[in-house]
Amino acid sequence: MVVLPEEPTPIAKVPSTENKTGGWRTFRPRIIYEKCIRCYICWKFCPEPAIEFDSPDAHPAPKPALAKFDTVKINYDYCKGCGICANECPVNAIEMVLEESIEEEEAD
Amino acid sequence: MLPGHTACLGCGATIAMRYVLKALGKNTILSIPACCWAVIPGVYPHRTLDVPLLYTAFEVTGAAISGIREALNALGKEDVNVVGFAGDGGTADIGLQALSGAVERGHNIFYIMYDNEAYMNTGIQRSGSTPMGAWTTTTPGGKKRMYKWEPKKSVAEIMVAHNIPYVATATIAYPEDLIAKIKKAKEIKGPKFIQILSPCPTGWRHSPDKTVEISRLAVQTNMFPLYEVVNGTYRITVKPKNPKPIKEYLRLQGRFRHLTDEEIEMIQREVDKRWKELLKKERCSNED
Ligand SMILES: Cc1ncc(C[n+]2csc(CCOP(=O)(O)OP(=O)(O)O)c2C)c(N)n1
Ligand code: SF4
Ligand code: SF4
Ligand code: SF4
Ligand SMILES: [Mg+2]
């Protein structure tokens, strides 16, 4: 009788979410919620994916008609700062800010 | 797909995987050979995908998925999607014979070629799928202008020549088109081949925020037409009304920076010729 080991081949089981890739960032995307029309194009194209949904009232809406839709938010634990979201946003509601300048801002 | 993977920032191949899995769903088994996607999930024991994934040697994806398919069928699990997900080097070059055998035998499989147009994982060496005029580390140019001047090998057309039920091209800037094609392929029994143009900021020498824009321009300039071939009948799925000059696509990428106006003209002629051929194929294959 052939007895197979319980795991005949090594199986990778640890989720990659342990690996916080946010530290790779040079530029940080910042959503300007007053402009965001909640179209989710940024969510569609994020390669990580690091863009998540948030409740409709988590952020201000540019128009009352949009207030009922979910908002988006960026998970900075994983966002690598590629800038695709900012490049694809149809209303320029995402700005890319140098991380160091944010650190300085926060230090002030 | 989970975040925390190790792809370069702005990696197009990663976006391709997101859409492929979205269309296929969880009842899927992947096999991936040596390529960028073999390292993107991270170092063992990390995983970034929610589906089982079998790593294989560089040249055997076609054989691996044939085996997985037939083993699953023997177990009565005919409903599981079996998918090979390989780079252009692993598909157009070293894996071509295994792929040819697999599709010729008619297994019920998907083969996805994510095309970043060179051997990126090992440092940007040219592949048969590298386009005309491109710089790579093995076509470095210099005084003798030794760039890659051979035209891009068309693996999709090689697959059409195998008379398989479904062949398509897609790219990440058109997710709805890509997902629709995979969903359509899911309904077809037999070998399915889909080539996904996946811009690579590291190898194409472009800014990482331009990945999707470049993918879109590849279609809008007819550099990489989007079409499908169902049982030999061609259908172009995105037809640019006024194709943009190829220059708009080339100028965003450092790998084409060296091109002279005459060379760009030459590439434009090649692109125009291929587009006309494709239109002809669409017309002829739709005639009774
Ligand atoms: C038989 C064999 N030859 C060479 C290699 C080294 N190798 C690993 S990945 C790779 C390049 C893969 O290129 P491609 O298939 O285009 O995928 P990409 O890295 O571009 O995603 C090479 C040459 C190998 N693993 N096995
Ligand atoms: S910068 Fe890139 S990684 Fe970060 S949220 Fe935008 S698309 Fe995602
Ligand atoms: S792409 Fe721009 S407008 Fe659309 S959801 Fe994202 S930030 Fe908002
Ligand atoms: S080298 Fe290119 S294809 Fe490979 S992970 Fe980096 S961006 Fe993606
Ligand atoms: Mg490649």
Side-chain angles (χ1 to χ4, degrees):
Chain A
M1 198 179 86
V2 183
V3 183
L4 288 173
E6 223 165 88
E7 279 190 4
T9 178
I11 299 176
K13 289 180 179 160
V14 181
S16 59
T17 40
E18 275 206 345
N19 185 27
K20 303 275 196 293
T21 49
W24 297 24
R25 226 171 24 246
T26 308
F27 292 95
R28 178 187 297 208
R30 243 185 349 208
I31 301 177
I32 307 158
Y33 286 101
E34 291 73 16
K35 284 191 189 174
C36 169
I37 54 170
R38 307 186 185 188
C39 68
Y40 313 135
I41 286 176
C42 52
W43 167 81
K44 198 155 81 170
F45 290 121
C46 176
E48 300 315 316
I51 297 184
E52 299 165 359
F53 292 105
D54 209 346
S55 61
D57 55 6
H59 303 283
K63 280 190 256 192
L66 293 168
K68 65 173 187 282
F69 299 106
D70 281 347
T71 52
V72 283
K73 69 163 184 239
I74 295 169
N75 186 335
Y76 294 113
D77 279 349
Y78 301 108
C79 163
K80 292 175 187 162
C82 69
I84 291 178
C85 53
N87 197 62
E88 296 305 315
C89 174
V91 293
N92 292 322
I94 302 181
E95 55 177 3
M96 299 300 293
V97 193
L98 193 66
E99 280 288 337
E100 285 154 35
S101 69
I102 297 170
E103 279 156 27
E104 278 163 25
E105 239 173 65
E106 279 165 2
D108 283 346
Chain B
M1 198 174 108
L2 301 171
H5 58 70
T6 60
C8 314
L9 50 165
C11 171
T14 316
I15 306 177
M17 179 66 92
R18 260 190 84 188
Y19 298 151
V20 166
L21 288 182
K22 194 166 192 62
L24 287 172
K26 285 233 167 130
N27 199 19
T28 298
I29 292 183
L30 288 182
S31 183
I32 298 184
C35 59
C36 275
W37 248 108
V39 291
I40 290 171
V43 179
Y44 179 82
H46 287 99
R47 63 166 185 91
T48 203
L49 303 177
D50 281 331
V51 297
L53 150 57
L54 176 75
Y55 285 127
T56 54
F58 198 14
E59 60 276 49
V60 302
T61 312
I65 54 177
S66 304
I68 297 171
R69 172 79 280 159
E70 296 314 315
L72 285 170
N73 287 1
L75 293 171
K77 296 182 177 174
E78 285 175 17
D79 59 325
V80 179
N81 306 308
V82 176
V83 185
F85 195 93
D88 52 297
T91 305
D93 299 341
I94 193 168
L96 193 58
Q97 57 87 12
L99 169 62
S100 173
V103 302
E104 187 271 333
R105 287 189 301 271
H107 303 286
N108 186 26
I109 47 174
F110 292 81
Y111 192 106
I112 314 271
M113 164 189 183
Y114 72 92
D115 188 3
N116 55 20
E117 302 191 317
Y119 294 68
M120 295 310 179
N121 183 43
T122 41
I124 327 174
Q125 293 86 11
R126 97 195 259 293
S127 80
S129 196
T130 302
M132 248 174 125
W135 163 93
T136 68
T137 53
T138 46
T139 52
K143 274 208 185 92
K144 291 186 180 159
R145 301 197 70 72
M146 281 155 43
Y147 298 102
K148 205 267 194 180
W149 283 112
E150 300 78 18
K152 182 180 170 82
K153 186 192 285 189
S154 176
V155 185
E157 293 306 305
I158 295 173
M159 287 296 110
V160 173
H162 282 70
N163 296 308
I164 61 175
Y166 193 79
V167 177
T169 62
T171 189
I172 53 157
Y174 294 83
E176 290 80 7
D177 176 78
L178 195 163
I179 289 172
K181 282 170 177 161
I182 293 190
K183 286 199 168 152
K184 187 168 189 177
K186 231 169 131 177
E187 303 304 315
I188 297 172
K189 216 169 168 192
K192 283 105 28 186
F193 175 87
I194 297 160
Q195 177 177 358
I196 305 178
L197 184 75
S198 310
C200 162
T202 307
W204 295 14
R205 296 285 192 250
H206 65 75
S207 158
D209 61 334
K210 298 284 184 244
T211 299
V212 174
E213 189 175 332
I214 287 173
S215 156
R216 193 177 297 118
L217 279 168
V219 177
Q220 292 175 346
T221 58
N222 288 340
M223 185 78 182
F224 190 86
L226 300 186
Y227 63 99
E228 63 180 8
V229 188
V230 186
N231 293 315
T233 304
Y234 282 72
R235 188 171 73 89
I236 302 171
T237 55
V238 178
K239 260 187 204 165
K241 273 208 188 78
N242 300 303
K244 292 185 172 160
I246 196 72
K247 206 172 180 167
E248 289 191 30
Y249 173 74
L250 302 175
R251 72 179 172 84
L252 291 174
Q253 305 172 49
R255 63 176 174 157
F256 296 118
R257 186 170 30 213
H258 55 85
L259 293 175
T260 63
D261 285 347
E262 292 86 68
E263 287 165 346
I264 292 175
E265 204 30 58
M266 195 170 96
I267 297 171
Q268 180 76 58
R269 277 199 299 276
E270 175 72 18
V271 167
D272 292 347
K273 189 182 106 202
R274 285 197 179 206
W275 174 248
K276 267 195 200 136
E277 281 169 7
L278 183 63
L279 287 173
K280 219 182 277 173
K281 283 178 189 165
E282 188 188 40
R283 209 167 49 239
C284 295
S285 66
N286 281 283
E287 280 170 4
D288 287 323

